[in-house]
Amino acid sequence: MIDIVFAQIERIEDAQTLDSAILGEQFYFWTVVLMWLIHVGFMSYEAGVVRRKNVMATAMKNILTIAAVTPTFYYFGWWIYNCNQPGFPPIGPNSSDFTSVACQGGIPWSDLFGSNLTNNINLVFFLAFLLFSWTTASIMSGALLERVRLSAYLLLAAMLGSVVWILDAAWGWSAGGWMTLRFGFHDSIASAVVHGVAGAFTLGVLFQLGPRIGKYTREGLARTFRPQNLHLTLMGLMLIFTGFYAFYGACLVIASTAFPGWANIYLSPTTLGSIAMIITMGFAGGFTGTYFASRGDPFWTVSGGLAGVIGVSAGADVYAPVLGYLIAMVTGPCAYYAGNWIERKMRVDDVVGAVAVHGVSGFLGIIWVGVFAAGYPTGVNNIDSSIWGQLLGVATFLPLGFLSGWVSAWVLKKINVLRVPPEVELAGLDTIEYAPDIYFPEIPHEPAVLVEPDGTHVDADRVILGEARELIER
């Protein structure tokens, strides 16, 4: 009789384990589905901010991001993440355990990458990380608009999405990363791991790519290129914000076997409600602060909401709602002022302000944890977070992102494949690549418009023609 009872208990426990695995698989599956909205948003966002002569090329570039990053992340990106977590320092013979089960599971031809009926989680968890990789490339995409070669961009997207960011994720965004185990580094929803590193990589690329023709006057003043559809840009950002809730959810681990509920990426306890609350307060605080800082500028008000969320992401699992709101109210204006400084003082032509919104806000996000959440235990070793551990993250991720972007773009520039010819840039990427398909004679040419630093609007085609000729002659 006792044996029968124990057998029934075992069957019930096995059924509960299977139900938990299936529910976990469904959860991550739907986060992947909803995260597609982020990339619908990126395409709309960028297509709205460019001039009409570059709309289709911009949209296609976003679609082909998925085509380039997916296979490269499958063949070596996931393997890099799983094989580079243990060990300190991050380089040398003790930096990786290539014989571990996790490392072997990252090999594309392993059993975990097929239709394995005994594993309900690996493939959907891989897909969640894959969409994070698309996001890093999409962050860079908007900054390079209207003058980067498609082939060069796709190579850079594969480098950033399948090598650079996933390497820093192995070090500082996993329960087994050396930064977590040794220094208590805390970046629960990837302020710096995704956004900060992508912004730093983008800055390195922009230094090599150079500004659009006509962006700066001979006196060094910055002109404004009027977007062809600002409403579409704002709608794209709102779609990105919707997908961010799924992004946040995919950053959690179902931890019912260790303790009831959820855990962050470091396996420290949290709740789904707490991070959803912080993302909402982050949007609201970012909108509010940047609206006043930019004096109601529509583009920067909405971008400030994104900056606010990125600024609270690192500590979203531990912040109180009021603190999250206040941090976002500060981070949004910081991104706005940084974006203007980068454009006008550094003379870096970042079309969508990606370096400021993602890069500056991302690194501020991990610094805020060191300031406001110092002492919070992180990871399986329960190492206290501290300002020094967070600054270690800045010192590691900033050069990793910037130097890899700068060097990659430098190589492409040296072999003359980084940027389209000036004639193509002036005519518009669409008119060269897609004219027979999407442009018709009855559609009149609409001249591009520049906004001079003093606020006057002028015909861009006429103003920059002489500058373009000089550039071609050089």
Side-chain angles (χ1 to χ4, degrees), residues 64-397:
L64 292 175
T65 297
I66 297 169
V69 176
T70 299
T72 54
F73 191 77
Y74 170 74
Y75 282 112
F76 50 81
W78 193 235
W79 180 84
I80 289 173
Y81 179 72
N82 285 283
C83 291
N84 284 277
Q85 293 180 21
F88 180 78
I91 55 175
N94 298 319
S95 63
S96 304
D97 184 1
F98 295 106
T99 63
S100 68
V101 174
C103 181
Q104 296 303 305
I107 298 175
W109 48 85
S110 70
D111 291 340
L112 293 179
F113 263 112
S115 51
N116 187 330
L117 299 181
T118 65
N119 186 295
N120 292 83
I121 203 67
N122 185 71
L123 291 181
V124 288
F125 202 58
F126 160 82
L127 290 171
F129 269 74
L130 172 63
L131 267 76
F132 298 156
S133 296
W134 296 355
T135 300
T136 60
S138 295
I139 289 168
M140 174 182 62
S141 172
L144 316 182
L145 291 173
E146 301 193 315
R147 75 274 200 200
V148 69
R149 283 184 187 266
L150 177 61
S151 56
Y153 163 74
L154 294 177
L155 289 171
L156 292 167
M159 172 62 72
L160 174 57
S162 298
V163 179
V164 177
W165 96 269
I166 198 64
L167 181 60
D168 77 65
W171 295 345
W173 203 47
S174 66
W178 63 269
M179 295 174 67
T180 306
L181 294 175
R182 295 289 299 274
F183 301 98
F185 177 76
H186 192 101
D187 188 5
S188 64
I189 316 290
S191 284
V193 169
V194 169
H195 301 279
V197 168
F201 186 97
T202 300
L203 182 61
V205 172
L206 286 172
F207 278 161
Q208 295 295 337
L209 182 64
R212 289 168 289 178
I213 295 172
K215 175 63 180 176
Y216 297 100
T217 69
R218 292 182 176 86
E219 295 76 26
L221 300 177
R223 294 188 178 110
T224 299
F225 290 86
R226 191 172 66 178
Q228 66 95 16
N229 191 333
L230 190 56
H231 298 86
L232 185 63
T233 292
L234 300 186
M235 184 187 74
L237 279 165
M238 296 301 284
L239 286 170
I240 292 171
F241 299 161
T242 305
F244 251 69
Y245 284 91
F247 186 105
Y248 264 48
C251 293
L252 299 185
V253 176
I254 300 173
S256 57
T257 56
F259 48 80
W262 298 87
N264 62 20
I265 198 73
Y266 306 117
L267 303 182
S268 299
T270 188
T271 68
L272 194 59
S274 65
I275 67 156
M277 188 68 178
I278 291 299
I279 190 174
T280 305
M281 299 299 278
F283 284 133
F287 291 149
T288 303
T290 316
Y291 175 82
F292 288 106
S294 68
R295 299 183 180 182
D297 180 278
F299 175 81
W300 274 108
T301 297
V302 183
S303 296
L306 179 56
V309 167
I310 295 168
V312 299
S313 291
D317 56 329
V318 297
Y319 288 153
V322 173
L323 178 60
Y325 183 77
L326 294 175
I327 289 175
M329 277 193 69
V330 173
T331 306
C334 286
Y336 167 70
Y337 292 123
N340 285 329
W341 188 82
I342 289 169
E343 179 187 26
R344 297 172 185 175
K345 301 299 182 181
M346 290 181 65
R347 292 169 55 86
V348 172
D349 184 13
D350 180 348
V351 178
V352 298
V355 175
V357 172
H358 295 273
V360 172
S361 300
F363 285 110
L364 280 176
I366 59 174
I367 292 173
W368 297 143
V369 171
V371 174
F372 297 108
Y376 182 84
T378 296
V380 293
N381 286 358
N382 286 321
I383 304 296
D384 289 350
S385 57
S386 66
I387 187 63
W388 304 114
Q390 300 304 102
L391 290 176
L392 173 68
V394 176
T396 303
F397 296 160

